[in-house]
Amino acid sequence: MTEEKRKLEQQLWNIADTLRGKMDADDFRDYILGFIFYKYLSRSMELYANEILKRDGFTYDQLDENSKEHQPYLDAVKDMALEARGYFLKPSELFHELAKRGNGEGKSKFILDDLTKVLNHIEQSTMGTESEEEFVNLFEDLDLTSSKLGKTVDAKNELIVKVMTHLDAIDFHLEDTEADVLGDAYEYLIGKFASGAGKKAGEFYTPQQVSAVLAGIVTDGKKRLKSVYDPTCGSGSLLLRVAKNVIEVGKFYGQEMNPTTFNLCRMNMIMHRQHYRKFDIKNDNTLEHPQHIDMRFEAIVANPPFSANWNPNAVINDDRFSAYGKLAPSSKADFAFVQHMVHQLADDGIMACVLPHGVLFRGAAEGHIREYLIKDRNYLDAVIGLPANIFYGTSIPTCILVLRKKRQNPDNILFIDASQHFEKVKTQNYLREEDIEKILTTYRDRKTEDKYSYVASLEEIAENDYNLNIPRYVDTFEEEEPVDIEAVANELQNLEKEMQATDELIRNYCNELGIKSPF
């Protein structure tokens, strides 16, 4: 299966890389991911319809949409598909049908108008149904009229036909219901685009090894989760990573401000075979317009934008913040996100979020909020320092804060310094499997290890004025080996002798050549 997965990833990336030409990677990402999603919906629809029609001796592509005799079959498939899959595609609207039409006899035929109608129809098929909210505007970033695709209509059509023809030749292995090969390949593509997207990457992607740490923490000791929530969910990779660690997640909840990324997240959920009833993703500003405010979640994971600007005036008298007596500064929303997550956390829940190091020691309002969380509420369970340069587009060092409302170890806080445990690949640092496992094992065992972790009492934290800077608790100072002065003196004497011998040699050469010696 791993070989199959690797092959699919490579095939998809080759298409993305070779066909985009001069188009910006960010723009091409929306097209290639959108078309992969369309092909997924088509194949999934076809397999489902074939299953329904099997006892009648038909396959879906044998149904004639213009035949009165076949109409009852089409109606039955539509009703069942909308309930089970949340959308409907006619046989003529399937991906491979359009790809075949576009590449008839090896020549590009015009399909842009048909394609636009099909993508609109997928969305329209959900209108008035339970899945409408999950599919609305899902293809809005797939602008087939954009000049980015080509200067002329024919040029645009040619590129689209090329992409579809290449994708049509790839087997997505959807028949294998056990393996999530396509979902994983989709994640891989999102990651590949993120690695080349610089600063913008942080908006939609958390590197998988960081997701693995967060997911490992919130699922520790659990086989099932009633709910998992990410207030800044990006492409949904963090939510889906949590699902890999447990047998079942009751429902996924998320909020994402960027409409393009919001669409990507919903596609990602569906591509990972999450039923439309199992996720509730909203598109809005989480701090100013939270969409799940009355809900409490068993697990919360997040990688909020680092030190983002926000508007504290928009949340005056808001229950999420009022108890603290202070609001995070307008130029650094980090603690505003923490306060929001604490508010949404169930009493028996656990949250883990990535934040810039500054949250550990910055003073003023942030120092006050930190003290309130520890001294008044006693919610902070652990602080984990990560290596620098681990996120795309930023090299700043980051940390993970773990909070619980009902802590099993209420008299201490665990500090882990994992900042020196990584592998450098080109310009990026990566957590290896053993680095991830070490963090999770240390969190689970809650043990002090020289130069790596320390269990600090609340009294120690108070003595440090609630400053959580990790070097205050985990001493990573390496003593230098003592210098042997006598050995150094001997070495210098030997060097002096060697230099004298070299000078003598040069002097002799100069004499032989009849030129003045420099010494």
Side-chain angles (χ1 to χ4, degrees):
M1 186 46 63
T2 316
E3 191 48 48
E4 206 171 80
K5 181 173 159 238
R6 199 177 296 116
K7 186 181 169 191
L8 181 58
E9 288 171 354
Q10 203 50 57
Q11 284 175 313
L12 292 176
W13 180 245
N14 286 346
I15 293 173
D17 210 28
T18 53
L19 293 185
R20 79 178 172 92
K22 294 189 178 116
M23 201 192 298
D24 184 68
D26 260 7
D27 296 321
F28 196 70
R29 179 194 81 205
D30 299 332
Y31 288 103
I32 188 79
L33 294 178
F35 281 121
I36 292 169
F37 182 61
Y38 168 36
K39 172 166 171 166
Y40 169 81
L41 292 181
S42 294
R43 188 69 184 127
S44 183
M45 176 76 229
E46 189 177 17
L47 289 171
Y48 181 69
N50 285 346
E51 196 59 39
I52 294 168
L53 297 165
K54 194 194 283 181
R55 63 175 174 266
D56 297 300
F58 289 113
T59 57
Y60 198 44
D61 59 357
Q62 289 172 334
L63 290 185
D64 182 351
E65 292 166 34
N66 301 312
S67 158
K68 280 187 178 174
E69 191 190 329
H70 286 177
Q71 198 54 48
Y73 294 109
L74 278 167
D75 291 342
V77 168
K78 181 175 181 178
D79 290 343
M80 292 171 82
L82 285 171
E83 171 64 23
R85 293 287 185 267
Y87 66 95
F88 173 68
L89 280 162
K90 296 176 193 167
S92 63
E93 296 174 328
L94 296 177
F95 186 96
H96 67 83
E97 284 299 319
L98 258 77
K100 197 163 69 182
R101 231 175 297 162
N103 197 32
E105 297 157 14
K107 292 178 187 166
S108 275
K109 298 277 173 65
F110 192 72
I111 57 164
L112 281 191
D113 291 347
D114 285 354
L115 188 53
T116 305
K117 281 180 197 155
V118 170
L119 297 181
N120 287 335
H121 185 241
I122 293 172
E123 199 179 308
Q124 284 161 7
S125 76
T126 72
M127 297 291 182
T129 72
E130 211 183 323
S131 62
E132 181 179 348
E133 199 181 329
E134 274 62 52
F135 282 83
V136 70
N137 295 332
L138 207 45
F139 289 101
E140 70 179 347
D141 295 301
L142 222 62
D143 180 4
L144 301 178
T145 62
S146 170
S147 59
K148 290 168 183 169
L149 289 169
K151 289 199 172 97
T152 64
V153 174
D154 285 341
K156 291 174 187 139
N157 188 73
E158 196 178 331
L159 179 60
I160 294 299
V161 169
K162 256 190 206 167
V163 171
M164 290 187 70
T165 306
H166 278 77
L167 280 176
D168 196 40
I170 296 176
D171 184 354
F172 278 5
H173 303 287
L174 294 194
E175 293 87 340
D176 185 352
T177 51
E178 292 304 304
D180 197 6
V181 177
L182 183 62
D184 288 345
Y186 203 65
E187 277 284 321
Y188 168 82
L189 265 192
I190 294 171
K192 286 286 277 185
F193 278 114
S195 65
K199 283 195 173 168
K200 289 165 85 177
E203 292 173 13
F204 63 88
Y205 193 69
T206 302
Q208 278 293 316
Q209 73 268 17
V210 179
S211 296
V213 175
L214 295 170
I217 289 168
V218 300
T219 58
D220 186 42
K222 297 190 175 179
K223 289 185 177 170
R224 286 179 173 79
L225 286 172
K226 293 190 286 289
S227 58
V228 57
Y229 170 64
D230 183 345
T232 55
C233 63
S235 60
S237 59
L238 194 40
L239 286 169
L240 289 162
R241 188 63 188 74
V242 172
K244 283 190 170 181
N245 284 28
V246 288
I247 296 167
E248 186 190 8
V249 170
K251 193 159 181 174
F252 299 92
Y253 297 85
Q255 191 164 338
E256 172 54 44
M257 192 163 71
N258 181 312
T260 300
T261 313
F262 163 67
N263 289 339
L264 187 55
C265 179
R266 291 184 296 164
M267 288 183 191
N268 205 7
M269 286 281 161
I270 294 164
M271 296 271 277
H272 279 83
R273 307 184 195 207
Q274 298 300 338
H275 193 276
Y276 65 87
R277 289 196 193 101
K278 285 198 69 173
F279 62 89
D280 178 9
I281 311 294
K282 304 289 190 194
N283 177 210
D284 214 328
N285 182 317
T286 303
L287 295 179
E288 294 181 24
H289 306 289
Q291 298 294 302
H292 303 97
I293 197 66
D294 296 325
M295 303 191 71
R296 299 295 174 265
F297 302 106
E298 186 179 357
I300 300 179
V301 284
N303 172 22
F306 299 152
S307 302
N309 292 320
W310 77 300
N311 179 15
N313 296 325
V315 298
I316 302 295
N317 301 323
D318 189 312
D319 287 348
R320 293 173 294 165
F321 308 102
S322 51
Y324 294 80
K326 296 269 178 156
L327 289 166
S330 60
S331 61
K332 292 179 178 66
D334 306 308
F335 266 116
F337 283 111
V338 171
Q339 290 167 304
H340 167 80
M341 286 183 267
V342 165
H343 182 79
Q344 304 263 201
L345 188 64
D347 284 345
D348 61 347
I350 177 171
M351 62 174 262
C353 62
V354 182
L355 296 161
H357 253 212
V359 300
L360 302 177
F361 50 79
R362 289 192 298 243
E366 292 179 289
H368 178 88
I369 294 167
R370 209 165 46 236
E371 182 174 339
Y372 180 83
L373 282 169
I374 300 167
K375 183 180 173 185
D376 295 76
R377 308 308 303 174
N378 196 10
Y379 287 165
L380 185 63
D381 197 46
V383 177
I384 302 164
L386 295 173
N389 204 27
I390 204 165
F391 287 90
Y392 301 121
T394 178
S395 59
I396 65 167
T398 52
C399 63
I400 294 171
L401 293 190
V402 184
L403 292 95
R404 293 175 182 264
K405 287 186 175 174
K406 289 181 179 170
R407 300 210 296 130
Q408 289 157 330
N409 303 90
D411 54 351
N412 61 54
I413 294 172
L414 173 68
F415 288 82
I416 297 174
D417 184 353
S419 63
Q420 301 308 311
H421 297 254
F422 61 88
E423 180 182 14
K424 190 174 177 67
V425 180
K426 294 181 183 170
T427 57
Q428 205 78 26
N429 293 336
Y430 289 88
L431 292 172
R432 296 158 298 196
E433 278 297 321
E434 60 263 35
D435 302 325
I436 295 167
E437 197 45 52
K438 188 171 173 64
I439 292 170
L440 296 177
T441 304
T442 306
Y443 176 72
R444 200 175 299 125
D445 297 345
R446 217 171 175 80
K447 61 187 181 188
T448 293
E449 184 183 318
D450 192 35
K451 301 191 187 331
Y452 186 75
S453 61
Y454 181 72
V455 180
S457 68
L458 294 184
E459 290 75 29
E460 277 180 89
I461 309 282
E463 280 168 22
N464 278 316
D465 290 326
Y466 300 94
N467 183 320
L468 303 174
N469 202 11
I470 297 169
R472 285 180 176 239
Y473 304 94
V474 183
D475 181 12
T476 55
F477 178 73
E478 295 281 353
E479 266 192 42
E480 289 183 17
E481 283 186 28
V483 177
D484 185 340
I485 300 294
E486 200 172 319
V488 171
N490 288 337
E491 199 175 331
L492 286 171
Q493 282 176 355
N494 290 336
L495 281 171
E496 184 62 37
K497 285 175 188 170
E498 284 176 25
M499 283 165 65
Q500 284 174 2
T502 306
D503 290 351
E504 184 62 34
L505 196 61
I506 292 168
R507 201 178 292 115
N508 291 338
Y509 284 143
C510 290
N511 289 340
E512 283 176 30
L513 294 167
I515 57 173
K516 189 178 176 187
S517 166
F519 309 111

